């Protein structure tokens, strides 16, 4: 169900964002501005308001159409995110409440056709009680694989749209449009859904352990190769390399989806089927960790790369050119960066000709870090061994308990 939600939720959210969003106030491309504490101000409606200058590169990162290069009032406009989330939340609540009210126990007289109720139930063996899960090294070894793969998948999904625009928008502007970035998100959603179906079928053929080996080593190779593919796109303006990036990204997300479909069966193989529901609930603690760690890691590493890129560009900028561009001396650069007045895109306008734009490579450190983390997960999973039989419940104990009841 989560895979289907991923496929339809993205387009639904995009449609709601478009409905509820409003464009920011545009003042024009030639406006008299003053700089105060690193912030730009201009007169609008008889009063001074804070403004920001958006060039073509900045606008290409946005999903809105019809915006012109120039000055915009800070704080004007609305992304529509709040109303979109509220609408989705209301719809989700209604669906969940209706489903909860509709679910009922079958009538006591109901019997499954062909089922003999007098036959004894099959006694499950090799079951680890859920109270002992936190004491097993296998629990943490499997959880480590889950958290690193899920962190990569959730991180990539979280930055997919700005990543596509920032990394490839300047190199292939006629191909990588806002519509293309939205389609990329849809492709990832399809990969998520198809991975849940395909990898479950594959694991039935080759086994859960072998499938998880493919998950870990395959994901590590994919994320480690993406920076090289990005470099090929930038250097050669290659649409084929862009297609390779999209294809590998979709495959990585299919692995992310496959992990969640194969994981309960893998837990059953390792810890037994009797408590698989409760044991899986504990395993999802690692999923919650990944939901926070993955997107946060991508954003933090991208921000660190951006700061390093700005520092490098500043070392190549002439002080007089900087002051003419931003209206402040270079000594005030820290406040200008904090106010988003100084950005990579704006510095590229005043750096010496031939300087390489670092924007397409801002996510390289994120991909390499995720690849390294998944590599650790691959090693951890390779060391996973069967559970020591001492942790299994005794069948005689289960039978005696059932007899007492």
């Amino acid at each position: 169900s989560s895979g289907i939600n991923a496929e339809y939720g993205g387009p639904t959210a995009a449609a709601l964002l478009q409905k509820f969003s409003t464009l920011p106030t545009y003042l024009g491309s030639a406006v008299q501005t003053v700089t105060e504490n690193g912030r730009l101000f201009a007169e609008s409606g008889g009063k001074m308001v804070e403004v920001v200058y958006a060039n073509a590169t900045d606008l290409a990162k946005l999903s809105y159409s019809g915006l012109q290069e120039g000055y915009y009032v800070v704080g004007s406009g609305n992304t529509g995110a709040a109303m979109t989330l509220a609408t989705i939340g209301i719809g989700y609540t209604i669906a969940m409440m209706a489903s909860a009210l509709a679910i009922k126990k079958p009538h006591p007289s109901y019997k499954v056709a062909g089922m003999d109720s007098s036959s004894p139930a099959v006694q499950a063996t090799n079951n680890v009680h859920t109270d002992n899960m936190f004491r097993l090294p296998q629990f943490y070894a499997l959880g480590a694989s889950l958290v690193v793969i899920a962190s990569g998948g959730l991180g990539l999904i979280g930055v997919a749209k700005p990543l596509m625009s920032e990394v490839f928008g300047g190199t292939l502007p006629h191909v990588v449009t806002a519509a293309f970035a939205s389609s990329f998100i849809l492709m990832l959603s399809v990969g998520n859904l198809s991975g849940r179906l395909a990898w479950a079928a594959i694991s039935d053929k080759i086994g859960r352990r072998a499938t998880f080996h493919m998950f870990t080593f395959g994901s590590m190779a994919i994320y480690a190769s993406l920076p090289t593919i990005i470099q090929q796109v930038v250097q050669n303006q290659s649409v084929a390399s862009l297609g390779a990036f999209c294809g590998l990204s979709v495959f990585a997300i299919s692995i992310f989806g496959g992990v969640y479909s194969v994981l309960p069966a893998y837990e059953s193989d390792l810890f037994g089927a009797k408590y698989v529901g409760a044991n899986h609930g504990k395993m999802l603690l690692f999923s919650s960790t990944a939901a926070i760690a993955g997107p946060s890691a991508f954003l933090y590493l991208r921000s660190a790369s951006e700061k390093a890129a700005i520092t490098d560009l500043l070392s190549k900028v002439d002080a007089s050119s900087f002051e003419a561009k931003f209206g402040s001396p270079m000594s005030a650069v820290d406040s200008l960066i904090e106010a988003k007045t100084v950005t990579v895109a704006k510095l590229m306008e005043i750096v010496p000709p031939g300087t390489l734009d670092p924007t397409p490579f801002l996510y390289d450190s994120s991909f390499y870090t995720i690849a390294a983390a998944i590599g650790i997960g691959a090693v951890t999973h390779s060391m996973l061994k069967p559970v020591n039989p001492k942790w299994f419940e005794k069948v005689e104990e289960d039978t005696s308990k059932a007899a007492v009841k």
Side-chain angles (χ1 to χ4, degrees), residues 272-298:
K274 185 175 181 180
Y275 303 105
V276 67
N279 292 342
H280 183 63
K282 291 185 175 181
M283 186 63 68
L284 290 180
L285 292 172
F286 292 99
S287 180
S288 300
T289 301
I292 299 173
S296 299
F298 265 80

Side-chain angles (χ1 to χ4, degrees), residues 169-181:
T171 304
L172 298 170
H174 301 296
V175 177
V176 183
T177 60
F180 184 91

Side-chain angles (χ1 to χ4, degrees), residues 298-329:
F298 265 80
L299 293 175
Y300 173 80
L301 292 169
R302 186 236 177 254
S303 178
S305 297
E306 183 182 30
K307 291 178 181 178
I310 289 176
T311 301
D312 179 63
L313 292 176
L314 286 171
S315 66
K316 303 174 183 178
V317 172
D318 180 71
S320 58
S321 299
F322 181 91
E323 187 167 357
K325 173 68 176 178
F326 299 104
S328 297

Side-chain angles (χ1 to χ4, degrees), residues 145-177:
S145 301
L146 169 61
V147 75
V148 292
I149 296 175
S151 293
L154 291 168
L156 180 56
I157 292 173
V159 302
K161 194 166 187 177
L163 180 150
M164 183 58 62
S165 299
E166 290 178 346
V167 173
F168 303 112
T171 304
L172 298 170
H174 301 296
V175 177
V176 183
T177 60

Side-chain angles (χ1 to χ4, degrees), residues 156 163-164 168 175-176 180-181 183-185 187-188 222 226 229 233 239-253:
L156 180 56
L163 180 150
M164 183 58 62
F168 303 112
V175 177
V176 183
F180 184 91
S183 298
F184 177 61
I185 297 176
M187 291 166 59
L188 296 181
I222 289 173
L226 291 181
I229 296 175
V233 176
V239 177
S241 296
L242 174 62
F245 179 91
C246 295
L248 286 175
S249 297
V250 171
F251 190 71
I253 296 303

Side-chain angles (χ1 to χ4, degrees), residues 70-158:
Y71 292 92
Y72 289 85
V73 177
V74 174
S76 63
N78 192 331
T79 62
M83 286 299 299
T84 296
L85 291 175
T87 303
I88 292 176
I90 292 172
Y92 179 83
T93 301
I94 293 174
M96 292 297 292
M97 290 297 295
S99 299
L101 294 174
I103 296 175
K104 298 181 180 179
K105 291 183 177 180
H107 193 273
S109 62
Y110 175 79
K111 294 182 179 180
V112 178
M115 179 178 177
D116 184 5
S117 59
S118 62
S119 60
V122 177
Q123 179 64 52
T125 58
N126 297 343
N127 296 298
V128 177
H129 194 279
T130 188
D131 291 344
N132 293 323
M133 286 296 290
F134 290 134
R135 303 167 68 180
L136 300 180
Q138 290 84 356
F139 174 76
Y140 297 99
L142 187 59
S145 301
L146 169 61
V147 75
V148 292
I149 296 175
S151 293
L154 291 168
L156 180 56
I157 292 173

Side-chain angles (χ1 to χ4, degrees), residues 141 144-146 148-149 212 216 371-383:
S145 301
L146 169 61
V148 292
I149 296 175
F212 259 71
T216 52
I374 295 178
I376 296 174
V379 173
T380 303
H381 179 259
S382 298
M383 298 170 62

